[in-house]
Amino acid sequence: MGFGPQGQTQVFPEVSKTDLSSYPKNLLEGLDIRNLILVQSNISKIDSGAFADGMESLDLARNCLNRVPSMALSSQKSLAALNLDFNAIETLEAHVFGDLVSLLWLSLYGNRIRLIDSRAFLGTEASLTRLNLGGNRLGQVPRYALQRLNCLQGLRLHDNNLTEVLVENLPESLCDLDLSGNDLTYLDAEAFVTLKHLSALDIEDNRIKSIHEDAFNGIHDSLEWLKLGGNHLTAVPYQALRNLSRLRQLDLRGNLITKLDSHSFETYGKTLKFIFLQKNCIRRYRRGCPWMFWNLWNGYICIRTPSFWLSSRFTLCQPPKTELRY
């Protein structure tokens, strides 16, 4: 509990593990509520006008909503954060968030969303910076629906059923993109070419077997963190990585990589701080393997396989301190 303008009492209620079923209008009438938590309460219906004006955050996770309660949210012009995780929403209809003009953060993880109308996010274009659509049933990146989100910096599409990424469907403002846990098998040339601000890309736990040598064209001057673990790569994709001039972390753990060559980290290695290669099948390596990392700056290398173990902290101008086991 706190005090608002002119001494008005503010409350921060939390309701969880109840059996409300329906959330009626004016249930908390008279209270100045800025942050409301209504989780795990079996809510399937929320009446229009149920929430007083002026809320800043609303958590409706782990309920039984089968659609976004847009009528109940229509008066929330100040709402900045909305959590609808783990409900039963299947479709995002046109203008469903249209009145949430101040919304910065929206999470819809763990629903059953298959279809997103191209006008679903209209009204949030000038405000929304973080969007989580992970854990749903999307078969493709929603066409047009995301393009208009000019302020969007972080987008999570992990744990869906995506088989391809059409970069033209994504907003150019993205800095952080999570595509892990999907069904991608190949990265085409210029797969992310329009995302010139992208600094973090997560493509872990897909089924990627190969990467076109020009896959990262367009983001070569911005990408700093790249996760490619849990795929089906049989070699370090050095040709695709060769022009990544700002790459700091490369995660290749859990692939099918069998050998490391002297060229595996050439040209792009000088900015790397962390390399992860655990849980691969590395059995062949260039003689004097640790010394191939001399072109790298201060950082950390970790390789663990049944037949090969290397953990090394290395510093430019000094031989890397290594511990090898064969």
Side-chain angles (χ1 to χ4, degrees):
M1 184 175 293
F3 294 95
Q6 300 178 350
Q8 186 178 20
T9 302
Q10 294 180 352
V11 294
F12 307 93
E14 178 176 349
V15 179
S16 63
K17 297 182 180 179
T18 62
D19 193 8
L20 285 177
S21 180
S22 176
Y23 188 87
K25 181 179 180 181
N26 300 327
L27 179 64
L28 300 175
E29 187 175 11
L31 299 177
D32 182 20
I33 298 173
R34 301 296 175 88
N35 305 277
L36 178 58
I37 300 173
L38 295 169
V39 299
Q40 208 168 344
S41 296
N42 293 316
I43 297 172
S44 58
K45 181 178 181 296
I46 301 177
D47 291 347
S48 178
F51 304 123
D53 297 350
M55 280 201 304
E56 297 173 359
S57 69
L58 175 61
D59 190 344
L60 291 167
R62 298 185 183 276
N63 283 292
C64 301
L65 297 168
N66 57 21
R67 59 188 304 176
V68 176
S70 53
M71 293 300 293
L73 297 172
S74 61
S75 63
Q76 300 304 313
K77 307 297 183 184
S78 302
L79 193 68
L82 176 60
N83 186 359
L84 289 165
D85 291 352
F86 296 107
N87 277 277
I89 299 168
E90 297 184 359
T91 301
L92 296 183
E93 300 157 345
H95 307 287
V96 73
F97 302 107
D99 295 307
L100 305 182
V101 294
S102 300
L103 195 63
L104 298 172
W105 183 89
L106 172 62
S107 186
L108 288 149
Y109 183 85
N111 280 274
R112 305 170 185 171
I113 299 171
R114 296 179 184 272
L115 178 64
I116 299 179
D117 190 279
S118 61
R119 298 159 294 174
F121 299 108
L122 287 181
T124 67
E125 307 98 309
S127 61
L128 194 62
T129 60
R130 298 284 170 181
L131 174 60
N132 188 348
L133 290 169
N136 283 286
R137 300 175 182 178
L138 296 171
Q140 59 183 8
V141 177
R143 191 176 185 185
Y144 303 127
L146 303 175
Q147 283 180 332
R148 304 181 180 94
L149 299 178
N150 301 319
C151 295
L152 196 66
Q153 297 178 16
L155 174 61
R156 305 198 70 184
L157 288 164
H158 59 305
D159 300 334
N160 276 284
N161 302 314
L162 303 178
T163 56
E164 63 177 345
V165 180
L166 299 177
V167 69
E168 58 268 26
N169 294 339
L170 298 172
E172 296 182 8
S173 56
L174 282 181
C175 299
D176 185 347
L177 176 60
D178 187 350
L179 295 166
S180 61
N182 280 284
D183 296 317
L184 304 176
T185 58
Y186 178 70
L187 293 184
D188 290 313
E190 301 186 340
F192 309 98
V193 67
T194 61
L195 307 182
K196 300 186 183 302
H197 304 288
L198 195 68
S199 61
L201 176 60
D202 188 343
I203 328 177
E204 285 186 327
D205 299 323
N206 279 272
R207 295 183 291 133
I208 297 172
K209 296 180 179 179
S210 60
I211 300 175
H212 193 281
E213 63 179 25
D214 295 325
F216 301 116
N217 280 9
I219 59 173
H220 54 279
D221 289 331
S222 63
L223 194 64
E224 297 183 41
W225 293 275
L226 177 59
K227 292 186 177 182
L228 286 167
N231 283 288
H232 297 169
L233 296 171
T234 58
V236 176
Y238 65 92
Q239 290 184 321
L241 303 172
R242 68 192 187 282
N243 292 324
L244 297 180
S245 60
R246 300 185 64 185
L247 193 64
R248 295 168 57 83
Q249 177 173 308
L250 175 62
D251 192 337
L252 288 164
R253 73 186 86 190
N255 276 279
L256 303 173
I257 297 171
T258 59
K259 64 178 181 177
L260 296 177
D261 296 317
S262 58
H263 55 253
S264 295
F265 303 98
E266 282 180 351
T267 71
Y268 66 95
K270 290 186 177 181
T271 57
L272 276 172
K273 297 290 185 180
F274 298 94
I275 305 171
F276 298 101
L277 285 158
Q278 305 98 308
K279 297 182 180 179
N280 275 282
C281 304
I282 298 171
R283 297 181 181 276
R284 296 176 55 196
Y285 50 91
R286 180 177 177 265
R287 185 173 181 83
C289 176
W291 306 96
M292 77 172 67
F293 301 112
W294 259 57
N295 66 314
L296 308 180
W297 295 82
N298 298 342
Y300 179 73
I301 306 164
C302 190
I303 307 171
R304 280 190 178 93
T305 73
S307 60
F308 180 70
W309 190 94
L310 164 65
S311 181
S312 175
R313 292 188 180 279
F314 50 88
T315 305
L316 189 69
C317 299
Q318 291 182 4
K321 298 178 181 179
T322 63
E323 183 178 352
L324 270 84
R325 298 174 185 172
Y326 302 98

